[in-house]
Amino acid sequence: MAPNKNTPHVLIFPYPSQGPLNCMMKLAELLAISGLHVTLLNTNDTHRRLCLSSASLPASPLLRFKSIPDGLPEDRPRDASLLRDVAESLNKNSRLLLYDLLLAMKNDEYSSDGFPPITCLISYN
């Protein structure tokens, strides 16, 4: 059955550290199992690391992954000791990127994969 404009679709944007990310991935998986469409949005760096350990990623046709830049230079380390820098950069840069992504999704740029418009947002800020 193809989704329509009334099908629930949750966008989850977790804080980019292991604890919150693991919890939000589990939430995304449970929501998808319950029949909701879920987009898990991460930073590009977090998404890259998740793809390297793809065996731990939940698999569901109702769950997809998207990413946005965190605002830091690509060559900047992003280990746990520098998480404060990542957080500050995200607070400064991610709002506009998230807004642009939501507009793009609303304007059906992402509809080729059959996902309806976003109806709920769960974010770390």
Side-chain angles (χ1 to χ4, degrees):
M1 182 166 109
N4 61 42
K5 296 269 184 196
N6 297 321
T7 304
H9 180 184
V10 180
L11 174 72
I12 300 176
F13 187 19
Y15 188 79
S17 68
Q18 186 173 356
L21 180 61
N22 288 343
C23 292
M24 291 299 150
M25 281 182 50
K26 182 52 80 177
L27 175 62
E29 183 178 22
L30 291 171
L31 291 172
I33 289 170
S34 298
L36 289 106
H37 287 81
V38 180
T39 299
L40 187 63
L41 180 65
N42 290 298
T43 63
N44 291 342
D45 184 66
T46 301
H47 184 73
R48 180 188 55 76
R49 286 186 286 121
L50 283 173
C51 289
L52 291 175
S53 63
S54 62
S56 64
L57 293 177
S60 168
L62 298 177
L63 176 61
R64 68 178 177 183
F65 295 86
K66 298 285 181 192
S67 66
I68 59 173
D70 59 17
L72 294 174
E74 290 297 318
D75 60 346
R76 180 89 182 258
R78 287 164 176 85
D79 60 19
S81 66
L82 300 172
L83 198 54
R84 184 177 185 169
D85 293 343
V86 174
E88 288 175 3
S89 180
L90 272 172
N91 284 334
K92 184 174 155 185
N93 299 303
S94 68
R95 285 184 179 92
L96 184 58
L97 293 170
L98 181 58
Y99 178 77
D100 289 345
L101 180 71
L102 289 171
L103 276 180
M105 291 173 130
K106 181 180 178 189
N107 293 329
D108 293 328
E109 284 186 29
Y110 292 90
S111 66
S112 62
D113 56 9
F115 276 62
I118 301 290
T119 54
C120 177
L121 172 64
I122 301 172
S123 178
Y124 72 91
N125 339 3

